[in-house]
Amino acid sequence: VRLVESGGGLVQFGGSLRLSCLASERILNLAHMGWYRQAPGKQREFVAEVTTDGRTNYADSVKGRFTISKVNAEDTIYLEMNSLKPEDTAVYSCYADLISRYWGQGTQVIVSS
């Protein structure tokens, strides 16, 4: 399984971005999928998850600002990020939990103050 993220970039404080994660195979109804992020000098942290039946979970730091969704027919999950803050600056990576966890290569998000 290959996961490819896109949608990162540079955005100003308070702005929005939408990240995408495209899976190479039809796994969205088989795998819990989600996003982690890693800021420079920090450990990777959980951001959000969408389960096979569409339930969602979020880190407290992004609740109310980020929305995770999936479109099975597109083999894609999305992370809509609003009200971005400089502390959201990180490399965002998507994952898929099957028998093992698969990771994408990551996409950089930079939020300027």
Side-chain angles (χ1 to χ4, degrees):
V1 175
R2 187 163 170 255
L3 304 173
V4 179
E5 302 98 331
S6 60
L10 174 64
V11 64
Q12 289 188 330
F13 176 85
S16 299
L17 282 174
R18 188 176 78 155
L19 305 183
S20 302
C21 174
L22 173 65
S24 61
E25 299 176 29
R26 290 284 166 110
I27 62 169
L28 267 65
N29 61 345
L30 301 174
H32 296 341
M33 296 183 67
W35 296 88
Y36 272 70
R37 68 186 180 186
Q38 187 165 21
K42 295 188 177 181
Q43 288 190 331
R44 186 165 56 188
E45 64 173 355
F46 170 78
V47 176
E49 177 187 62
V50 57
T51 66
T52 53
D53 59 356
R55 287 176 289 119
T56 58
N57 298 296
Y58 297 93
D60 288 343
S61 59
V62 307
K63 278 181 183 176
R65 300 188 298 122
F66 291 11
T67 302
I68 190 169
S69 61
K70 64 174 184 172
V71 180
N72 288 5
E74 296 177 359
D75 301 319
T76 302
I77 68 168
Y78 298 96
L79 186 68
E80 185 76 33
M81 306 186 295
N82 298 313
S83 303
L84 283 162
K85 307 173 183 179
E87 51 264 44
D88 294 318
T89 294
V91 174
Y92 285 71
S93 300
C94 72
Y95 69 89
D97 282 339
L98 293 165
I99 295 176
S100 56
R101 176 165 282 187
Y102 295 85
W103 291 96
Q105 83 289 348
T107 185
Q108 176 76 59
V109 172
I110 300 174
V111 184
S112 63
S113 57

